[in-house]
PDB file of all heavy atoms in Angstrom:
ATOM      1  N   PRO A 129      21.939 -29.109 -19.702  1.00 93.00           N
ATOM      2  CA  PRO A 129      21.196 -30.364 -19.565  1.00 93.00           C
ATOM      3  C   PRO A 129      22.150 -31.552 -19.634  1.00 93.00           C
ATOM      4  O   PRO A 129      23.089 -31.549 -20.439  1.00 93.00           O
ATOM      5  CB  PRO A 129      20.257 -30.339 -20.771  1.00 93.00           C
ATOM      6  CG  PRO A 129      20.092 -28.891 -21.101  1.00 93.00           C
ATOM      7  CD  PRO A 129      21.393 -28.234 -20.754  1.00 93.00           C
ATOM      8  N   ARG A 130      21.932 -32.547 -18.781  1.00 92.00           N
ATOM      9  CA  ARG A 130      22.769 -33.751 -18.830  1.00 92.00           C
ATOM     10  C   ARG A 130      22.497 -34.472 -20.148  1.00 92.00           C
ATOM     11  O   ARG A 130      21.345 -34.588 -20.567  1.00 92.00           O
ATOM     12  CB  ARG A 130      22.404 -34.674 -17.668  1.00 92.00           C
ATOM     13  CG  ARG A 130      22.788 -34.135 -16.307  1.00 92.00           C
ATOM     14  CD  ARG A 130      22.042 -34.870 -15.202  1.00 92.00           C
ATOM     15  NE  ARG A 130      22.327 -36.296 -15.193  1.00 92.00           N
ATOM     16  CZ  ARG A 130      23.367 -36.827 -14.555  1.00 92.00           C
ATOM     17  NH1 ARG A 130      24.205 -36.059 -13.874  1.00 92.00           N
ATOM     18  NH2 ARG A 130      23.576 -38.122 -14.591  1.00 92.00           N
ATOM     19  N   PRO A 131      23.568 -34.935 -20.760  1.00 92.00           N
ATOM     20  CA  PRO A 131      23.359 -35.648 -22.015  1.00 92.00           C
ATOM     21  C   PRO A 131      22.578 -36.952 -21.775  1.00 92.00           C
ATOM     22  O   PRO A 131      22.846 -37.655 -20.811  1.00 92.00           O
ATOM     23  CB  PRO A 131      24.791 -35.951 -22.497  1.00 92.00           C
ATOM     24  CG  PRO A 131      25.666 -35.788 -21.316  1.00 92.00           C
ATOM     25  CD  PRO A 131      24.985 -34.865 -20.367  1.00 92.00           C
ATOM     26  N   MET A 132      21.581 -37.196 -22.616  1.00 92.00           N
ATOM     27  CA  MET A 132      20.780 -38.416 -22.481  1.00 92.00           C
ATOM     28  C   MET A 132      20.666 -39.058 -23.862  1.00 92.00           C
ATOM     29  O   MET A 132      20.246 -38.393 -24.809  1.00 92.00           O
ATOM     30  CB  MET A 132      19.369 -38.094 -21.973  1.00 92.00           C
ATOM     31  CG  MET A 132      19.348 -37.563 -20.540  1.00 92.00           C
ATOM     32  SD  MET A 132      17.671 -37.173 -19.998  1.00 92.00           S
ATOM     33  CE  MET A 132      18.000 -36.248 -18.504  1.00 92.00           C
ATOM     34  N   ASP A 133      21.053 -40.312 -23.957  1.00 93.00           N
ATOM     35  CA  ASP A 133      20.952 -40.987 -25.250  1.00 93.00           C
ATOM     36  C   ASP A 133      19.642 -41.765 -25.340  1.00 93.00           C
ATOM     37  O   ASP A 133      19.579 -42.861 -25.887  1.00 93.00           O
ATOM     38  CB  ASP A 133      22.157 -41.913 -25.467  1.00 93.00           C
ATOM     39  CG  ASP A 133      22.364 -42.853 -24.298  1.00 93.00           C
ATOM     40  OD1 ASP A 133      21.497 -42.854 -23.390  1.00 93.00           O
ATOM     41  OD2 ASP A 133      23.372 -43.573 -24.276  1.00 93.00           O
ATOM     42  N   PHE A 134      18.633 -41.193 -24.721  1.00 94.00           N
ATOM     43  CA  PHE A 134      17.291 -41.784 -24.783  1.00 94.00           C
ATOM     44  C   PHE A 134      16.289 -40.640 -24.685  1.00 94.00           C
ATOM     45  O   PHE A 134      16.658 -39.501 -24.389  1.00 94.00           O
ATOM     46  CB  PHE A 134      17.082 -42.785 -23.637  1.00 94.00           C
ATOM     47  CG  PHE A 134      17.331 -42.199 -22.268  1.00 94.00           C
ATOM     48  CD1 PHE A 134      16.292 -41.613 -21.551  1.00 94.00           C
ATOM     49  CD2 PHE A 134      18.621 -42.194 -21.713  1.00 94.00           C
ATOM     50  CE1 PHE A 134      16.530 -41.062 -20.302  1.00 94.00           C
ATOM     51  CE2 PHE A 134      18.849 -41.641 -20.459  1.00 94.00           C
ATOM     52  CZ  PHE A 134      17.807 -41.070 -19.752  1.00 94.00           C
ATOM     53  N   GLU A 135      15.057 -40.974 -24.926  1.00 95.00           N
ATOM     54  CA  GLU A 135      14.007 -39.947 -24.874  1.00 95.00           C
ATOM     55  C   GLU A 135      13.662 -39.661 -23.410  1.00 95.00           C
ATOM     56  O   GLU A 135      13.151 -40.545 -22.705  1.00 95.00           O
ATOM     57  CB  GLU A 135      12.760 -40.462 -25.609  1.00 95.00           C
ATOM     58  CG  GLU A 135      11.653 -39.453 -25.768  1.00 95.00           C
ATOM     59  CD  GLU A 135      12.002 -38.350 -26.774  1.00 95.00           C
ATOM     60  OE1 GLU A 135      12.926 -38.566 -27.611  1.00 95.00           O
ATOM     61  OE2 GLU A 135      11.377 -37.280 -26.705  1.00 95.00           O
ATOM     62  N   PRO A 136      13.941 -38.451 -22.892  1.00 95.00           N
ATOM     63  CA  PRO A 136      13.642 -38.178 -21.475  1.00 95.00           C
ATOM     64  C   PRO A 136      12.135 -38.223 -21.208  1.00 95.00           C
ATOM     65  O   PRO A 136      11.341 -37.775 -22.031  1.00 95.00           O
ATOM     66  CB  PRO A 136      14.201 -36.769 -21.251  1.00 95.00           C
ATOM     67  CG  PRO A 136      14.408 -36.183 -22.591  1.00 95.00           C
ATOM     68  CD  PRO A 136      14.539 -37.291 -23.575  1.00 95.00           C
ATOM     69  N   LYS A 137      11.801 -38.786 -20.048  1.00 95.00           N
ATOM     70  CA  LYS A 137      10.390 -38.880 -19.680  1.00 95.00           C
ATOM     71  C   LYS A 137      10.019 -37.742 -18.737  1.00 95.00           C
ATOM     72  O   LYS A 137      10.872 -37.118 -18.114  1.00 95.00           O
ATOM     73  CB  LYS A 137      10.128 -40.215 -18.955  1.00 95.00           C
ATOM     74  CG  LYS A 137      10.235 -41.446 -19.815  1.00 95.00           C
ATOM     75  CD  LYS A 137       9.886 -42.655 -18.949  1.00 95.00           C
ATOM     76  CE  LYS A 137      10.010 -43.950 -19.733  1.00 95.00           C
ATOM     77  NZ  LYS A 137       9.978 -45.117 -18.802  1.00 95.00           N
ATOM     78  N   SER A 138       8.707 -37.553 -18.613  1.00 95.00           N
ATOM     79  CA  SER A 138       8.205 -36.576 -17.654  1.00 95.00           C
ATOM     80  C   SER A 138       8.078 -37.220 -16.283  1.00 95.00           C
ATOM     81  O   SER A 138       7.934 -38.437 -16.163  1.00 95.00           O
ATOM     82  CB  SER A 138       6.835 -36.061 -18.082  1.00 95.00           C
ATOM     83  OG  SER A 138       6.973 -35.227 -19.199  1.00 95.00           O
ATOM     84  N   HIS A 139       8.085 -36.400 -15.255  1.00 95.00           N
ATOM     85  CA  HIS A 139       7.988 -36.934 -13.892  1.00 95.00           C
ATOM     86  C   HIS A 139       6.658 -37.649 -13.678  1.00 95.00           C
ATOM     87  O   HIS A 139       6.559 -38.538 -12.853  1.00 95.00           O
ATOM     88  CB  HIS A 139       8.161 -35.804 -12.876  1.00 95.00           C
ATOM     89  CG  HIS A 139       7.014 -34.851 -12.825  1.00 95.00           C
ATOM     90  ND1 HIS A 139       6.837 -33.836 -13.747  1.00 95.00           N
ATOM     91  CD2 HIS A 139       5.963 -34.752 -11.975  1.00 95.00           C
ATOM     92  CE1 HIS A 139       5.736 -33.169 -13.447  1.00 95.00           C
ATOM     93  NE2 HIS A 139       5.185 -33.692 -12.392  1.00 95.00           N
ATOM     94  N   TRP A 140       5.615 -37.235 -14.431  1.00 94.00           N
ATOM     95  CA  TRP A 140       4.321 -37.891 -14.230  1.00 94.00           C
ATOM     96  C   TRP A 140       4.301 -39.294 -14.802  1.00 94.00           C
ATOM     97  O   TRP A 140       3.379 -40.049 -14.500  1.00 94.00           O
ATOM     98  CB  TRP A 140       3.162 -37.046 -14.754  1.00 94.00           C
ATOM     99  CG  TRP A 140       3.235 -36.677 -16.221  1.00 94.00           C
ATOM    100  CD1 TRP A 140       3.031 -37.505 -17.280  1.00 94.00           C
ATOM    101  CD2 TRP A 140       3.498 -35.385 -16.754  1.00 94.00           C
ATOM    102  NE1 TRP A 140       3.159 -36.806 -18.444  1.00 94.00           N
ATOM    103  CE2 TRP A 140       3.448 -35.494 -18.160  1.00 94.00           C
ATOM    104  CE3 TRP A 140       3.783 -34.125 -16.199  1.00 94.00           C
ATOM    105  CZ2 TRP A 140       3.678 -34.398 -19.018  1.00 94.00           C
ATOM    106  CZ3 TRP A 140       3.994 -33.043 -17.048  1.00 94.00           C
ATOM    107  CH2 TRP A 140       3.941 -33.196 -18.437  1.00 94.00           C
ATOM    108  N   ASP A 141       5.316 -39.632 -15.616  1.00 95.00           N
ATOM    109  CA  ASP A 141       5.507 -41.024 -16.005  1.00 95.00           C
ATOM    110  C   ASP A 141       6.517 -41.696 -15.089  1.00 95.00           C
ATOM    111  O   ASP A 141       6.300 -42.813 -14.610  1.00 95.00           O
ATOM    112  CB  ASP A 141       5.993 -41.102 -17.456  1.00 95.00           C
ATOM    113  CG  ASP A 141       4.894 -40.688 -18.436  1.00 95.00           C
ATOM    114  OD1 ASP A 141       3.714 -40.974 -18.147  1.00 95.00           O
ATOM    115  OD2 ASP A 141       5.209 -40.061 -19.464  1.00 95.00           O
ATOM    116  N   LEU A 142       7.632 -41.023 -14.855  1.00 95.00           N
ATOM    117  CA  LEU A 142       8.708 -41.599 -14.048  1.00 95.00           C
ATOM    118  C   LEU A 142       8.223 -41.956 -12.637  1.00 95.00           C
ATOM    119  O   LEU A 142       8.469 -43.055 -12.143  1.00 95.00           O
ATOM    120  CB  LEU A 142       9.872 -40.595 -13.939  1.00 95.00           C
ATOM    121  CG  LEU A 142      10.679 -40.354 -15.213  1.00 95.00           C
ATOM    122  CD1 LEU A 142      11.518 -39.080 -15.076  1.00 95.00           C
ATOM    123  CD2 LEU A 142      11.576 -41.556 -15.510  1.00 95.00           C
ATOM    124  N   GLY A 143       7.537 -40.996 -11.993  1.00 95.00           N
ATOM    125  CA  GLY A 143       7.119 -41.184 -10.601  1.00 95.00           C
ATOM    126  C   GLY A 143       6.214 -42.394 -10.418  1.00 95.00           C
ATOM    127  O   GLY A 143       6.524 -43.292  -9.619  1.00 95.00           O
ATOM    128  N   PRO A 144       5.092 -42.452 -11.144  1.00 94.00           N
ATOM    129  CA  PRO A 144       4.212 -43.625 -11.014  1.00 94.00           C
ATOM    130  C   PRO A 144       4.900 -44.923 -11.424  1.00 94.00           C
ATOM    131  O   PRO A 144       4.694 -45.969 -10.785  1.00 94.00           O
ATOM    132  CB  PRO A 144       3.053 -43.284 -11.959  1.00 94.00           C
ATOM    133  CG  PRO A 144       3.016 -41.787 -11.962  1.00 94.00           C
ATOM    134  CD  PRO A 144       4.455 -41.369 -11.903  1.00 94.00           C
ATOM    135  N   ASP A 145       5.750 -44.878 -12.477  1.00 94.00           N
ATOM    136  CA  ASP A 145       6.448 -46.092 -12.906  1.00 94.00           C
ATOM    137  C   ASP A 145       7.338 -46.625 -11.791  1.00 94.00           C
ATOM    138  O   ASP A 145       7.494 -47.837 -11.621  1.00 94.00           O
ATOM    139  CB  ASP A 145       7.311 -45.806 -14.138  1.00 94.00           C
ATOM    140  CG  ASP A 145       6.443 -45.653 -15.392  1.00 94.00           C
ATOM    141  OD1 ASP A 145       5.225 -45.940 -15.299  1.00 94.00           O
ATOM    142  OD2 ASP A 145       6.970 -45.219 -16.440  1.00 94.00           O
ATOM    143  N   LEU A 146       7.949 -45.718 -11.046  1.00 94.00           N
ATOM    144  CA  LEU A 146       8.836 -46.136  -9.957  1.00 94.00           C
ATOM    145  C   LEU A 146       8.063 -46.510  -8.701  1.00 94.00           C
ATOM    146  O   LEU A 146       8.623 -47.008  -7.728  1.00 94.00           O
ATOM    147  CB  LEU A 146       9.806 -44.992  -9.608  1.00 94.00           C
ATOM    148  CG  LEU A 146      10.923 -44.725 -10.631  1.00 94.00           C
ATOM    149  CD1 LEU A 146      11.537 -43.354 -10.392  1.00 94.00           C
ATOM    150  CD2 LEU A 146      11.979 -45.821 -10.558  1.00 94.00           C
ATOM    151  N   GLY A 147       6.764 -46.229  -8.725  1.00 94.00           N
ATOM    152  CA  GLY A 147       5.937 -46.543  -7.557  1.00 94.00           C
ATOM    153  C   GLY A 147       6.117 -45.557  -6.421  1.00 94.00           C
ATOM    154  O   GLY A 147       5.783 -45.860  -5.270  1.00 94.00           O
ATOM    155  N   ILE A 148       6.637 -44.361  -6.711  1.00 94.00           N
ATOM    156  CA  ILE A 148       6.873 -43.402  -5.637  1.00 94.00           C
ATOM    157  C   ILE A 148       5.893 -42.225  -5.690  1.00 94.00           C
ATOM    158  O   ILE A 148       5.885 -41.381  -4.802  1.00 94.00           O
ATOM    159  CB  ILE A 148       8.320 -42.844  -5.675  1.00 94.00           C
ATOM    160  CG1 ILE A 148       8.600 -42.127  -7.000  1.00 94.00           C
ATOM    161  CG2 ILE A 148       9.323 -43.973  -5.445  1.00 94.00           C
ATOM    162  CD1 ILE A 148       9.958 -41.439  -7.039  1.00 94.00           C
ATOM    163  N   LEU A 149       5.080 -42.168  -6.765  1.00 95.00           N
ATOM    164  CA  LEU A 149       4.134 -41.063  -6.913  1.00 95.00           C
ATOM    165  C   LEU A 149       2.807 -41.657  -7.363  1.00 95.00           C
ATOM    166  O   LEU A 149       2.761 -42.478  -8.270  1.00 95.00           O
ATOM    167  CB  LEU A 149       4.664 -40.075  -7.960  1.00 95.00           C
ATOM    168  CG  LEU A 149       3.887 -38.782  -8.196  1.00 95.00           C
ATOM    169  CD1 LEU A 149       3.853 -37.938  -6.941  1.00 95.00           C
ATOM    170  CD2 LEU A 149       4.536 -37.991  -9.341  1.00 95.00           C
ATOM    171  N   ASP A 150       1.713 -41.245  -6.712  1.00 94.00           N
ATOM    172  CA  ASP A 150       0.431 -41.922  -6.876  1.00 94.00           C
ATOM    173  C   ASP A 150      -0.686 -40.885  -6.966  1.00 94.00           C
ATOM    174  O   ASP A 150      -1.017 -40.228  -5.981  1.00 94.00           O
ATOM    175  CB  ASP A 150       0.243 -42.838  -5.646  1.00 94.00           C
ATOM    176  CG  ASP A 150      -1.025 -43.684  -5.735  1.00 94.00           C
ATOM    177  OD1 ASP A 150      -1.913 -43.354  -6.549  1.00 94.00           O
ATOM    178  OD2 ASP A 150      -1.106 -44.663  -4.974  1.00 94.00           O
ATOM    179  N   PHE A 151      -1.227 -40.735  -8.174  1.00 94.00           N
ATOM    180  CA  PHE A 151      -2.304 -39.753  -8.355  1.00 94.00           C
ATOM    181  C   PHE A 151      -3.681 -40.354  -8.098  1.00 94.00           C
ATOM    182  O   PHE A 151      -4.578 -39.678  -7.610  1.00 94.00           O
ATOM    183  CB  PHE A 151      -2.269 -39.174  -9.775  1.00 94.00           C
ATOM    184  CG  PHE A 151      -1.038 -38.344 -10.035  1.00 94.00           C
ATOM    185  CD1 PHE A 151      -0.052 -38.792 -10.903  1.00 94.00           C
ATOM    186  CD2 PHE A 151      -0.864 -37.128  -9.394  1.00 94.00           C
ATOM    187  CE1 PHE A 151       1.086 -38.029 -11.139  1.00 94.00           C
ATOM    188  CE2 PHE A 151       0.266 -36.366  -9.621  1.00 94.00           C
ATOM    189  CZ  PHE A 151       1.245 -36.819 -10.497  1.00 94.00           C
ATOM    190  N   GLU A 152      -3.848 -41.643  -8.443  1.00 94.00           N
ATOM    191  CA  GLU A 152      -5.162 -42.265  -8.298  1.00 94.00           C
ATOM    192  C   GLU A 152      -5.619 -42.240  -6.844  1.00 94.00           C
ATOM    193  O   GLU A 152      -6.758 -41.864  -6.544  1.00 94.00           O
ATOM    194  CB  GLU A 152      -5.140 -43.723  -8.791  1.00 94.00           C
ATOM    195  CG  GLU A 152      -5.195 -43.883 -10.304  1.00 94.00           C
ATOM    196  CD  GLU A 152      -3.845 -43.607 -10.948  1.00 94.00           C
ATOM    197  OE1 GLU A 152      -2.834 -43.569 -10.213  1.00 94.00           O
ATOM    198  OE2 GLU A 152      -3.795 -43.432 -12.184  1.00 94.00           O
ATOM    199  N   ARG A 153      -4.712 -42.641  -5.970  1.00 94.00           N
ATOM    200  CA  ARG A 153      -5.127 -42.713  -4.574  1.00 94.00           C
ATOM    201  C   ARG A 153      -5.322 -41.312  -3.983  1.00 94.00           C
ATOM    202  O   ARG A 153      -6.192 -41.091  -3.140  1.00 94.00           O
ATOM    203  CB  ARG A 153      -4.121 -43.524  -3.770  1.00 94.00           C
ATOM    204  CG  ARG A 153      -4.171 -45.007  -4.103  1.00 94.00           C
ATOM    205  CD  ARG A 153      -3.405 -45.817  -3.097  1.00 94.00           C
ATOM    206  NE  ARG A 153      -3.534 -47.246  -3.343  1.00 94.00           N
ATOM    207  CZ  ARG A 153      -2.671 -47.972  -4.087  1.00 94.00           C
ATOM    208  NH1 ARG A 153      -1.648 -47.381  -4.671  1.00 94.00           N
ATOM    209  NH2 ARG A 153      -2.851 -49.258  -4.241  1.00 94.00           N
ATOM    210  N   ALA A 154      -4.519 -40.360  -4.464  1.00 94.00           N
ATOM    211  CA  ALA A 154      -4.691 -38.983  -3.991  1.00 94.00           C
ATOM    212  C   ALA A 154      -6.058 -38.455  -4.393  1.00 94.00           C
ATOM    213  O   ALA A 154      -6.739 -37.784  -3.612  1.00 94.00           O
ATOM    214  CB  ALA A 154      -3.591 -38.089  -4.558  1.00 94.00           C
ATOM    215  N   ALA A 155      -6.483 -38.817  -5.620  1.00 93.00           N
ATOM    216  CA  ALA A 155      -7.794 -38.373  -6.093  1.00 93.00           C
ATOM    217  C   ALA A 155      -8.898 -39.002  -5.264  1.00 93.00           C
ATOM    218  O   ALA A 155      -9.914 -38.374  -4.975  1.00 93.00           O
ATOM    219  CB  ALA A 155      -7.961 -38.738  -7.565  1.00 93.00           C
ATOM    220  N   LYS A 156      -8.669 -40.268  -4.867  1.00 93.00           N
ATOM    221  CA  LYS A 156      -9.669 -40.942  -4.042  1.00 93.00           C
ATOM    222  C   LYS A 156      -9.737 -40.312  -2.653  1.00 93.00           C
ATOM    223  O   LYS A 156     -10.811 -39.989  -2.153  1.00 93.00           O
ATOM    224  CB  LYS A 156      -9.321 -42.431  -3.914  1.00 93.00           C
ATOM    225  CG  LYS A 156     -10.198 -43.182  -2.932  1.00 93.00           C
ATOM    226  CD  LYS A 156      -9.945 -44.682  -2.950  1.00 93.00           C
ATOM    227  CE  LYS A 156      -8.555 -45.024  -2.440  1.00 93.00           C
ATOM    228  NZ  LYS A 156      -8.273 -46.465  -2.512  1.00 93.00           N
TER     229      LYS A 156
END
Side-chain angles (χ1 to χ4, degrees):
Chain A
R130 291 163 60 86
M132 293 179 193
D133 52 6
F134 55 91
E135 186 71 20
K137 291 182 182 167
S138 288
H139 70 280
W140 58 73
D141 291 326
L142 290 164
D145 286 351
L146 287 163
I148 60 174
L149 185 62
D150 184 343
F151 293 110
E152 282 78 14
R153 289 193 175 93
K156 173 173 66 183

